[in-house]
Amino acid sequence: QVHLVESGGGSVQAGGSLRLSCAVSGDTLSTYCMAWFRQVPGKEREGVAFITSAATTTYAEAVKGRVTISKDLAKNTLYLQMNSLKPEDTAMYYCAADRFPYGGRCSGARLAYDSWGQGTQVTVSS
C-alpha cells in the first residue's frame, strides 16, 4: 500500500518561497498521477497542481506561474515549488496519488485519488 508523507510547510511572509516535498513509499510514483491539493477550514479541498506519469503538468488558475510541480523518480519524491506566495495561499497542503489515472490528464477531483498524505501547513502573512 502506497504511503505519502508531506514536509516543507511553514510560515513565510508574502512574496516568499517554499518547497513542499511528498515522500512516497510502498510503490514507485512513476506510473501514478500525482497531485497537490489544499484546503482551508470551511472550504472544499481543491486541486493545486498535477503531474502525469509522462510528466505532463497542469495547474489551478490561482497558482499558475507561481508554482511548479515536479518529481524525482530516483528519490520517489514529489515536489511543489511555491514562489511569490500570497496570503490566500495559506492552507493545509496534501499530496495525493491516483494509481489508475483515466485519460491523458490527471483528474482534478479529489475522489479520483487513492492515497493521501497527512498534510503540511502553509501560512503566508502580509
Side-chain angles (χ1 to χ4, degrees):
Q1 186 175 0
V2 65
H3 183 60
L4 310 176
V5 179
E6 302 96 335
S7 63
S11 298
V12 297
Q13 292 185 325
S17 298
L18 286 173
R19 189 177 76 159
L20 308 184
S21 298
C22 174
V24 180
S25 60
D27 200 3
T28 176
L29 57 74
S30 63
T31 62
Y32 287 67
C33 262
M34 300 297 297
W36 288 96
F37 284 72
R38 67 186 183 186
Q39 188 169 28
V40 175
K43 293 188 64 179
E44 185 175 296
R45 191 172 298 186
E46 63 180 8
V48 176
F50 310 85
I51 185 166
T52 70
S53 60
T56 298
T57 60
T58 54
Y59 300 92
E61 290 297 325
V63 302
K64 194 171 296 182
R66 299 188 296 114
V67 309
T68 303
I69 187 171
S70 63
K71 56 185 178 181
D72 187 332
L73 184 58
K75 293 184 176 182
N76 214 33
T77 300
L78 179 75
Y79 301 99
L80 186 70
Q81 178 67 47
M82 309 174 70
N83 302 319
S84 302
L85 284 164
K86 303 176 180 179
E88 49 263 46
D89 294 318
T90 296
M92 184 72 74
Y93 284 72
Y94 298 90
C95 175
D98 179 3
R99 178 65 180 85
F100 300 105
Y102 189 84
R105 297 286 183 89
C106 297
S107 175
R110 70 182 193 275
L111 291 178
Y113 293 85
D114 309 300
S115 302
W116 293 85
Q118 188 73 21
T120 185
Q121 179 68 37
V122 171
T123 302
V124 184
S125 59
S126 300

